[in-house]
Structures are given as C-alpha cells and as structure tokens.
Amino acid sequence: AQKITQTQPGMFVQEKEAVTLDCTYDTSDQSYGLFWYKQPSSGEMIFLIYQGSYDEQNATEGRYSLNFQKARKSANLVISASQLGDSAMYFCAMRERKTTDSWGKLQFGAGTQVVVTP
Amino acid sequence: DAGVTQSPTHLIKTRGQQVTLRCSPISGHKSVSWYQQVLGQGPQFIFQYYEKEERGRGNFPDRFSARQFPNYSSELNVNALLLGDSALYLCASSLGWGSQETQYFGPGTRLLVL
C-alpha cells in the first residue's frame, strides 16, 4: 500500500502568492517523522522542513510551514510569498520507527511539480 | 562546511557491466543511505549504513550491494546492469540513528545503461 500520497501532480502559482502542497500518509506507528524536500531540475534533494509525530506545534522554517493534522494523517506544506526560484518538484516523505532504538527508511511520495510564474 | 558529495556525476554503461558509485557524507555524519530515483518517481530506498554496519535494505535484487568505510564514506555497487537500472542514484547522510535524524542529500549520480 502507498505510504505517502501526493495527489497534485503539478500546479502553477503566481509569484508572491502562497501555495499549499497536499500530503497524506499511512502508518500504524505512533512515532514517526514527516519531511518535505525540494528537488530542482539539477536533481539535488534539498531538505525543507521536519515534523515529528509528537510535536504539538506546526513546524515552520522561514517561508515554509507545515500544516500537520494528525487525526487526518495529513502534512501539507505551505509556501508563502512564492518566488521564481521555488519552481521545483516537491516531495513529502515519512520515516517510521522500526524498533525502539532505530528508525527505518525514508519513504517518499510521487511528488508535486510547482511552477512559479511572474 | 561541505555537503554530501557524490562521484561521478554522470555515468554511461552498457548492459551486463558493473558500476561503483561513491559518496562522502557531511563531516561528523555517521549514517549513509542510498536511494534510486527513476525518472518521474520519488526516490526508492536501497540501503542504509550506520557505523559501517548495514541497518536497512530495500526491495532491490542482490545485484545491488554497498559498504561503508571507517571514514564513513560509502560505495554502492551494481552488477550485471540492466536497462532498468538507469536512474538518478542519491546518497544521503545523517548524524546518527536517532528519532529525528534529518537526511541530507548529495547531488546524485545519473546512470544511463545502454
């Protein structure tokens, strides 16, 4: 079964506007981590933001914020004041706890392509 | 500080050949993971190493192998290459094996198998 679902294959957003990228996840673990990465056309995966399953506050990093709704198993990324350089593929990923003292692999969604227009 | 480095950046091989990809983690990071990203898809986990021991293996055939060296750098080997092995191979490093370890990725190696 798909662990991470990103339902938006692509979207256009105007410069200076906010954009929300959807991510839902599937896990029976109580302890897990959620990550968002940005991948420009160059290929490098750039870490954006992290949310732990026990974190009560939504994570924020500069223009990035994560709308974490645990009961709905949703971890949407919000990019405020979009810039042309934000054009890239965005991946949501999850890491579940494998054992009490170790964590498993990062599992990625299919990604959402964002194009920022002037 | 230098980020994760990978070599080579691009590689062209023919079917049946063998390839070795290299990765140097961020200084101080002891864990290295390898991912395969086929065009149009998200990365798929191949291996994770921590302190030179394999800590995780994804659903890949035995043609894929890896190791981590005492300096925490890592190599990924793929034998008997198939056309379907053409992909971007990403290496990621993290400080350790803790509960909130963020993985930082390198620029990747683009492998084309002809």
Side-chain angles (χ1 to χ4, degrees):
Chain A
Q2 195 74 4
K3 287 281 189 176
I4 299 287
T5 302
Q6 296 181 252
T7 57
Q8 306 152 307
M11 49 198 313
F12 287 92
V13 58
Q14 272 203 312
E15 206 175 358
K16 298 179 186 173
E17 289 189 349
V19 60
T20 298
L21 307 183
D22 295 339
C23 173
T24 56
Y25 58 92
D26 180 26
T27 182
S28 56
D29 285 355
Q30 295 301 309
S31 188
Y32 51 89
L34 297 161
F35 303 80
W36 276 92
Y37 287 87
K38 169 185 177 181
Q39 188 176 42
S41 55
S42 60
E44 185 169 355
M45 298 284 282
I46 301 167
F47 167 71
L48 296 178
I49 196 166
Y50 165 82
Q51 179 85 41
S53 59
Y54 291 119
D55 294 342
E56 295 185 354
Q57 303 273 351
N58 285 340
T60 60
E61 287 286 349
R63 294 187 298 111
Y64 304 106
S65 60
L66 202 151
N67 183 2
F68 181 47
Q69 298 186 45
K70 193 170 181 177
R72 298 179 62 182
K73 294 187 177 178
S74 165
N76 298 340
L77 177 71
V78 180
I79 306 173
S80 62
S82 296
Q83 302 171 357
L84 295 177
D86 293 335
S87 293
M89 184 72 93
Y90 288 80
F91 289 97
C92 179
M94 176 175 66
R95 199 170 178 204
E96 299 168 290
R97 173 158 278 178
K98 193 175 174 184
T99 65
T100 54
D101 63 354
S102 71
W103 285 66
K105 59 189 177 184
L106 262 181
Q107 301 171 82
F108 287 83
T112 295
Q113 180 71 48
V114 172
V115 176
V116 181
T117 59
Chain B
D1 285 343
V4 178
T5 59
Q6 292 185 244
S7 64
T9 55
H10 295 80
L11 207 49
I12 300 175
K13 293 285 189 179
T14 56
R15 279 177 297 175
Q17 285 190 309
Q18 175 263 342
V19 68
T20 298
L21 310 181
R22 295 176 177 83
C23 171
S24 292
I26 293 171
S27 178
H29 284 195
K30 297 182 178 181
S31 180
V32 169
S33 299
W34 288 95
Y35 294 82
Q36 180 196 65
Q37 187 178 21
V38 174
L39 196 62
Q41 298 181 17
Q44 296 292 319
F45 172 76
I46 310 175
F47 286 108
Q48 182 163 21
Y49 279 78
Y50 175 68
E51 288 283 14
K52 301 178 287 296
E53 289 188 10
E54 183 184 300
R55 294 300 185 107
R57 174 186 284 253
N59 189 23
F60 280 81
D62 292 343
R63 300 185 295 108
F64 289 76
S65 63
R67 54 180 175 168
Q68 187 178 32
F69 298 99
N71 66 354
Y72 303 109
S73 67
S74 178
E75 285 183 353
L76 174 70
N77 294 285
V78 186
N79 292 323
L81 285 167
L82 303 174
L83 296 180
D85 295 332
S86 295
L88 177 67
Y89 288 85
L90 294 163
C91 172
S93 78
S94 57
L95 273 170
W97 195 239
S99 62
Q100 298 180 7
E101 298 294 346
T102 296
Q103 294 188 5
Y104 297 92
F105 285 79
T109 294
R110 292 188 186 274
L111 172 64
L112 177 62
V113 182
L114 300 175

